[in-house]
């Protein structure tokens, strides 16, 4: 009887959550797709092609320039890394671009103290036409384990949506069976909610039990419009989507664009602030060799990283919008008495030339601590913190298409004594 109860308890715990112990905070790192796409001609584009050299150079810089110290630990290759045909049933790396194979690269990345990730697709082919995993789930799960992979993005091109849920669950099971703990990034919600018509609502309870993170929406591209299109999805669907985020399981709005061609400095601040509020993975997809000091400083801003990585893992949301200004809020630690601290981003979509001024009170932000808050400016750490009480009116000026970002920490009761 006792053993039946034990088996039942084990079954229950397996059934209720993906418990690989990984991604307790949103994963941070670098990923090739948005910036480097499927550039495979290394003769013509030696600095940009998807290759062993690119990945090794990014790994080197992540260590040397302080990204790893700040928390960016995964180095992930996206699509276009393999040969176009399998060999003896196995996926093999492109021999010209990855002459020493994936295990060598994984070892190199690990030797730097980083973690290594790569990409597969649950369909017959990847989105860019490389071999898919559909008939090879067990073989591919074993290859990941043999290569000591730490993170897998499993894409969902070229397969029927009806097959996806069971297939992704099966692949997760096969990865677990190898004994190698691998962060599991799933793409099926993006296919359900955006790419396949008619659209479908994925079962987020199943997702949470199966995957550490999942892409919900369209691929991000290198423009302000694309960034806002994604932000709008998370604003509009917050009630449905946000509650499913938490330690071990995250919504993924796709990579940060910072450092690329499409966003201005102000717009870069807006993406960083919104992505931190919605507890997004902080995955960079940029050329770290050419990034400007200003953008690097944004990406290495420890206060903002701490918001994104807050241990409570509560996904924030857009609280309100009006006059082209949006207010995004997220509860974070420390919690003082019954009150959380809050990260608050004021995001402007205005384009009227100067920082638009608007006044607000704590009540406008729905912040209720009766002793008020200490407010810290997260983008401009040199500006001193200030205190805000119930009846105070503060004027905020947000630059066109930019964002201001603050942390409000409740003031303790005993200060009155
Ligand atoms: C899909 C994914 C992208 C990227 C490409 C690669 O479009 O959503 O993030 O992985 O495939 O081909």
């Amino acid at each position: 009887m006792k053993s039946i109860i034990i088996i039942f308890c084990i079954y229950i715990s397996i059934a209720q959550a993906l418990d690989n112990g990984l991604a307790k905070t949103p994963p941070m790192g670098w990923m090739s797709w948005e910036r480097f796409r499927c550039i495979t001609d290394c003769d013509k584009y030696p600095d940009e092609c998807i290759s062993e050299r690119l990945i090794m150079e990014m790994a080197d810089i992540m260590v040397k320039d302080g990204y790893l110290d700040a928390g960016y630990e995964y180095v992930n290759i996206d699509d276009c890394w393999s040969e176009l045909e399998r060999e003896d049933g196995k996926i093999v790396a492109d021999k010209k671009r990855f002459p020493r194979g994936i295990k060598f690269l994984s070892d190199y990345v690990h030797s730097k103290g980083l973690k290594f990730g790569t990409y597969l697709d649950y369909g017959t082919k990847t989105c860019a036409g490389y071999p898919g995993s559909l008939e090879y789930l067990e073989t591919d799960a074993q290859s990941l384990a043999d290569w000591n992979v730490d993170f897998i993005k499993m894409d969902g091109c070229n397969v029927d949506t009806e097959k996806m849920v069971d297939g992704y669950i099966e692949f997760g099971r096969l990865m677990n069976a190898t004994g190698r703990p691998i962060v599991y990034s799933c793409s099926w919600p993006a296919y359900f909610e955006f790419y396949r018509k008619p659209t479908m609502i994925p079962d987020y309870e199943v997702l949470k039990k199966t995957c550490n993170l999942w892409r919900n929406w369209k691929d991000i591209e290198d423009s302000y419009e694309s960034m806002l299109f994604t932000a709008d999805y998370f604003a509009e669907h917050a009630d449905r989507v946000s509650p499913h985020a938490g330690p071990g399981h995250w919504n993924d709005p796709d990579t940060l664009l910072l450092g690329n061609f499409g966003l201005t400095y102000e717009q870069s601040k807006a993406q960083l602030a919104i992505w931190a509020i919605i507890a997004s993975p902080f995955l960079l997809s940029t050329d770290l060799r050419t990034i400007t000091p200003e953008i690097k400083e944004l990406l290495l801003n420890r206060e903002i990283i701490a918001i994104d990585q807050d241990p409570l893992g509560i996904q924030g949301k857009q609280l309100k919008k009006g006059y082209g200004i949006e207010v995004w809020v997220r509860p974070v630690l420390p919690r003082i008495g019954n009150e959380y601290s809050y990260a608050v981003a004021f995001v402007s979509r205005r384009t009227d030339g100067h920082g638009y001024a608007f006044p607000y009170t704590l009540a406008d932000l729905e912040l209720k601590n009766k002793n008020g808050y200490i407010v810290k400016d997260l983008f401009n750490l040199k500006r001193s913190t200030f205190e805000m009480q119930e009846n105070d009116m503060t004027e905020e000026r947000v630059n066109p298409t930019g964002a201001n970002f603050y942390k409000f920490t409740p003031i303790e009761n005993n200060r009155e004594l």
Side-chain angles (χ1 to χ4, degrees), residues 62-83:
M62 285 175 74
V63 176
K64 185 166 68 62
D65 286 4
Y67 293 93
L68 175 60
D69 280 348
Y72 297 93
E73 58 178 348
Y74 291 95
V75 184
N76 296 350
I77 324 178
D78 207 283
D79 205 347
C80 306
W81 58 269
S82 76
E83 285 283 340

Side-chain angles (χ1 to χ4, degrees), residues 33 78-79 119 127-128 153 155 191 215 219:
W33 181 256
D78 207 283
D79 205 347
Y119 167 102
C127 300
K153 171 173 170 180
D155 211 341
Y191 290 89
R215 281 276 313 283
D219 289 2

Side-chain angles (χ1 to χ4, degrees), residues 31 33-34 37-38 78-80 119 121 126-129 153 155-157 187 190-191 195 215 217-220 254:
M31 186 172 252
W33 181 256
E34 200 295 310
R37 303 286 162 142
C38 198
D78 207 283
D79 205 347
C80 306
Y119 167 102
D121 186 289
T126 72
C127 300
K153 171 173 170 180
D155 211 341
C157 271
S187 293
Y191 290 89
Y195 285 106
R215 281 276 313 283
W217 197 233
K218 187 176 189 286
D219 289 2
I220 201 157
D254 212 352

Side-chain angles (χ1 to χ4, degrees), residues 276-277 279 307-310 313-316 328-332 341-343:
I277 291 276
I307 299 295
D308 181 64
Q309 298 286 299
D310 184 76
I314 301 172
Q315 180 168 340
W328 293 72
V329 298
R330 175 179 178 185
V332 292
S341 298
Y342 282 86

Side-chain angles (χ1 to χ4, degrees), residues 88-124:
D88 299 330
K90 292 186 178 176
I91 296 199
V92 289
D94 182 280
K95 298 211 173 81
K96 187 161 177 215
R97 293 180 284 120
F98 296 88
R100 290 172 281 191
I102 295 296
K103 178 65 167 50
F104 163 82
L105 194 54
S106 166
D107 287 348
Y108 182 84
V109 167
H110 288 136
S111 76
K112 298 262 153 187
L114 294 155
K115 293 181 175 153
F116 178 73
T118 189
Y119 167 102
L120 293 169
D121 186 289
Y122 176 60
T124 50

